[in-house]
């Protein structure tokens, strides 16, 4: 590709990078100790009790960026604060927007953790804690890298960092912030490290993410619970009705049974299917790791295709009736379920939400009240894989990990990626350092220390590489 900056400047930047990498190497232990401090803060965004921890965590991130020489700001929202930081933006340099999240998922079930979720522990070459890989550890890799750059004369690009506290609950307040600060957030490219490598030894750049519609459905039958002997058989049972409704969500060949659900689905191309077939994927390894005898899903698609390119509808939780030990003969008044639908290009979250609510309303017994609450909407994402930025990112990963990255997709969602594209017009590089067995959102979440260090090097090299982009 064309080198867009003068040779003298490039030589200077490359000699700075050597010092940056040396500093990163020499600071491994201190860096890990700082990450452990970050991980100790229980920044669980979904729980109201943790509101003070969210503020404390935002301040921790801000303090660090301040120390590294960024001008910083904590932006309050109706929810949790957003940390914004900038280095000295100079004309003629490309501008990079970094996004990460400091909030984490709830740690429950607590009894399944080998060591407590917010008391980080090092075992088998990994740090174990809630948020270790999602996303504090990956954010930390960037903070360490940019701090080293700042200590050696400053980053070679204009950098804006946005580190928010509501990703795990759908980034509800981010859109208003982004829309209001369009000018301030203008960038040539966005960088996010909140995804995975393909496998141990196979680092990756992710170019596809699924979208999300997360709905909770509430049924109310009689005004109160009833004796199942006295009333059973003569009144609607909210739990029975919920089960009947949920049982209509799929057809026997694994398709989602909502009219219009597949209307806008962009089908996989034969070329893409062929590319994915070449990835070093071993179904039996995955089955062993998951403790399953077989996978299941939509007929006619491989496991990777089902996870990366097909839309889904999954029950995430069901509640009704007596849940304590022993028996209680009761017809529950109320029943509810949480349901996530993962979307693929070009499905529209709002449209799918409407289809879901309308269909369940239609199918529900008429003497039972049905209500909905939305817990998240995110658009599906496909980032361009041609162009200078991806090529530079691939070089950075190769420098950091010592291996060429694979180009992969992922089944997860990161709402900001579609948001930045829609509101700022900027494409995101998804350069993730996690491993598939890191147990994100699950007990015993971990981040491999080798991945942490390789990720930190990758981040350091990436900012050097991106300096060659045309501003
Ligand atoms: N970092 C994850 C998403 C992810 C993980 C993508 C691994 C690719 C590989 C993110 O924090 C996440 O969990 N997102 C939520 C989004 C939702 C709450 C709007 C998700 O996917 O459930
Ligand atoms: Mn994440
Ligand atoms: Mn997450």
């Amino acid at each position: 590709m064309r080198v867009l900056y003068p040779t003298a400047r490039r030589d200077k930047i490359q000699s700075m990078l050597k010092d940056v990498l040396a500093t990163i190497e020499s600071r491994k232990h201190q860096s890990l100790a700082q990450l452990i401090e970050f991980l100790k803060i229980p920044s669980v965004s979904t729980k109201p009790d943790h509101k003070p921890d969210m503020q404390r965590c935002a301040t921790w991130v801000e303090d660090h960026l301040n120390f590294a020489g960024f001008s910083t700001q904590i932006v309050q929202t109706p929810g949790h604060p957003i940390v914004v930081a900038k280095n000295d933006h100079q004309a003629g340099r490309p501008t990079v927007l970094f996004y990460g999240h400091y909030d984490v998922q709830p740690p429950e079930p607590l009894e399944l953790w080998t060591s407590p979720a917010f008391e980080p522990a090092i075992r088998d070459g990994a740090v174990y804690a809630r948020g270790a890989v999602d996303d504090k550890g990956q954010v930390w890799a960037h903070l360490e890298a940019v701090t080293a750059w700042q200590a050696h004369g400053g980053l070679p690009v204009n950098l804006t960092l946005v580190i928010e506290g509501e990703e795990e609950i759908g980034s509800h307040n981010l859109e208003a912030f982004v829309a209001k600060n369009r000018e301030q957030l203008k960038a040539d490219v966005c960088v996010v490290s909140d995804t995975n490598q393909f496998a141990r030894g196979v680092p990756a750049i992710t170019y596809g993410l699924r979208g999300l519609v997360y709905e909770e459905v509430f049924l109310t039958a009689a005004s109160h619970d009833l004796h199942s002997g006295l009333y059973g058989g003569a009144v609607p049972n909210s739990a029975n009705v919920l089960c009947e409704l949920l049982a209509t969500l799929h057809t026997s060949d694994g398709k989602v049974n909502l009219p219009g659900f597949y209307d806008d689905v962009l089908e996989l191309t034969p070329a893409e299917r062929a590319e994915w077939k070449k990835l070093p994927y071993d179904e039996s390894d995955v089955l062993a790791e998951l403790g399953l005898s077989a996978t299941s899903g939509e007929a006619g698609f491989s496991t990777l295709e089902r996870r990366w390119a097909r839309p889904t509808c999954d029950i995430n939780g069901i509640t009704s009736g007596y849940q304590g030990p022993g028996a209680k003969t009761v017809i529950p008044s109320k029943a509810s379920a949480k349901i996530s639908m993962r979307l693929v290009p070009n499905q529209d979250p709002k449209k799918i939400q409407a289809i879901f609510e309308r269909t369940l309303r239609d199918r529900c017994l008429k003497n039972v009240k049905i209500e909905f609450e939305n817990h998240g909407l995110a658009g599906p994402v496909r980032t361009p894989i041609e162009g200078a930025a991806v090529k530079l990112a691939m070089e950075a990963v190769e420098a950091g990990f010592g291996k060429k990255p694979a180009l992969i997709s992922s089944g997860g969602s990161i709402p900001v990626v579609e948001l930045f594209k829609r509101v700022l017009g900027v494409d995101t590089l998804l350069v993730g350092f996690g491993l598939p067995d890191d147990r994100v959102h699950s007990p015993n979440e971990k981040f491999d220390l080798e991945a942490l260090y390789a990720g930190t090097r990758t981040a350091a090299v990436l900012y050097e590489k991106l300096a060659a982009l045309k501003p």
Side-chain angles (χ1 to χ4, degrees):
M1 69 159 281
R2 203 150 61 97
V3 174
L4 296 147
Y5 47 19
T7 315
R9 178 157 169 252
R10 190 188 55 197
D11 289 349
K12 175 151 178 275
I13 292 173
Q14 284 178 352
S15 104
M16 287 160 81
L17 175 62
K18 276 211 185 87
D19 296 337
V20 167
L21 291 171
T23 296
I24 287 171
E25 184 61 30
S26 71
R27 267 188 39 88
K28 276 180 170 176
H29 291 287
Q30 285 122 291
S31 172
L32 178 58
Q34 282 174 287
L35 170 57
I36 286 173
E37 289 307 308
F38 192 13
L39 292 172
K40 281 184 185 168
I41 307 173
S43 47
V44 182
S45 48
T46 201
K47 292 192 183 173
D49 287 1
H50 286 278
K51 191 126 187 113
D53 297 315
M54 299 305 292
Q55 190 67 47
R56 192 152 62 87
C57 198
T59 304
W60 190 94
V61 172
E62 186 195 28
D63 285 349
H64 182 81
L65 285 162
N66 238 314
F67 161 84
F70 290 83
S71 49
T72 63
Q73 199 191 343
I74 289 194
V75 178
Q76 297 297 340
T77 74
H80 303 305
I82 304 170
V83 184
V84 186
K86 282 187 176 208
N87 65 345
D88 176 26
H89 285 203
Q90 297 164 22
R93 302 196 305 185
T95 301
V96 179
L97 177 60
F98 172 81
Y99 166 90
H101 63 93
Y102 67 82
D103 66 323
V104 302
Q105 287 275 331
E108 286 82 1
L110 299 179
E111 66 280 9
L112 296 185
W113 286 80
T114 303
S115 50
F118 297 108
E119 294 171 28
I122 309 292
R123 284 193 302 276
D124 318 320
V127 54
Y128 285 80
R130 172 56 85 235
V133 65
D134 186 11
D135 181 26
K136 286 174 171 172
Q138 300 199 63
V139 166
W140 181 252
H142 283 265
L143 295 188
E144 175 69 11
V146 301
T147 306
W149 269 108
Q150 293 293 84
H152 290 286
L155 279 153
V157 293
N158 300 335
L159 180 64
T160 305
L161 300 107
V162 172
I163 300 169
E164 72 145 329
E166 298 194 299
E167 197 277 342
E168 298 291 8
I169 50 173
S171 299
H172 286 296
N173 293 299
L174 201 60
E175 179 149 1
F177 163 79
V178 174
K180 196 170 150 208
N181 295 282
R182 262 197 204 101
E183 279 312 302
Q184 216 210 118
L185 298 174
K186 244 173 120 174
D188 299 294
V189 69
C190 172
V191 171
V192 174
S193 292
D194 195 22
T195 50
N196 284 344
Q197 306 180 53
F198 182 70
R200 195 178 286 277
V202 190
I205 304 241
T206 299
Y207 68 91
L209 291 172
R210 288 195 289 193
L212 176 70
V213 175
Y214 197 123
E215 290 275 295
E216 189 161 4
V217 49
F218 301 90
L219 300 186
T220 309
S223 60
H224 50 277
D225 288 355
L226 298 169
H227 190 292
S228 70
L230 296 182
Y231 289 95
V235 293
N237 175 324
S238 64
N240 289 10
V241 175
L242 182 66
C243 291
E244 281 163 25
L245 268 182
L246 298 180
T248 69
L249 289 174
H250 294 89
T251 60
S252 57
D253 60 352
K255 284 223 169 349
V256 177
N257 182 28
L258 297 169
F261 186 81
Y262 290 94
D263 282 2
D264 301 323
V265 167
L266 187 71
E267 295 295 330
L268 267 168
T269 63
E272 206 169 18
R273 288 184 105 160
E275 274 309 308
W276 290 0
K277 280 218 180 71
K278 290 188 211 152
L279 290 167
Y281 177 79
D282 188 340
E283 183 100 344
S284 59
D285 283 356
V286 175
L287 291 176
E289 190 204 318
L290 303 184
L292 284 171
S293 58
T295 54
S296 56
E298 190 182 358
F301 295 92
S302 72
T303 296
L304 286 184
E305 290 164 0
R306 286 170 175 168
R307 289 169 57 190
W308 293 356
R310 299 301 297 169
T312 66
C313 180
D314 271 299
I315 301 165
N316 290 220
I318 307 184
T319 308
S320 185
Y322 178 63
Q323 310 269 325
K328 181 183 182 196
T329 48
V330 72
I331 293 178
S333 155
K334 288 181 183 297
S336 63
K338 298 175 197 277
I339 291 157
S340 72
M341 285 166 274
R342 298 287 167 170
L343 311 186
V344 302
N346 296 315
Q347 287 177 297
D348 173 6
K350 289 243 165 68
K351 194 168 157 187
I352 296 298
Q353 179 191 15
I355 287 175
F356 176 83
E357 294 188 2
R358 188 186 340 113
T359 306
L360 264 65
R361 218 179 270 289
D362 285 353
R363 288 179 187 165
C364 187
L365 212 64
K366 294 302 170 265
N367 53 356
V368 169
K369 184 161 87 181
I370 183 165
E371 294 164 295
F372 298 92
E373 186 180 338
N374 180 268
H375 294 293
L377 295 173
V381 164
R382 177 137 332 168
T383 64
I385 49 176
E386 310 78 29
V390 176
K391 186 160 176 279
L392 294 168
M394 294 188 65
E395 291 170 8
V397 172
E398 187 172 359
F401 282 80
K403 299 239 163 74
K404 280 199 196 315
L407 274 172
I408 65 169
S409 227
S410 173
S413 311
I414 308 176
V416 75
V417 182
E418 184 271 339
L419 175 64
F420 278 172
K421 179 70 184 175
R422 177 161 45 84
V423 180
L424 302 176
V426 66
D427 284 312
T428 294
L429 294 167
L430 293 161
V431 187
F433 312 135
L435 284 172
D437 68 357
D438 282 343
R439 301 193 174 215
V440 274
H441 296 198
S442 176
N444 300 317
E445 176 180 351
K446 68 164 172 72
F447 192 20
D448 225 61
L449 296 183
E450 276 320 309
L452 167 66
Y453 300 133
T456 309
R457 291 192 294 270
T458 299
V461 176
L462 182 60
Y463 293 109
E464 183 265 331
K465 294 279 178 196
L466 293 178
L469 281 180
K470 196 174 155 59

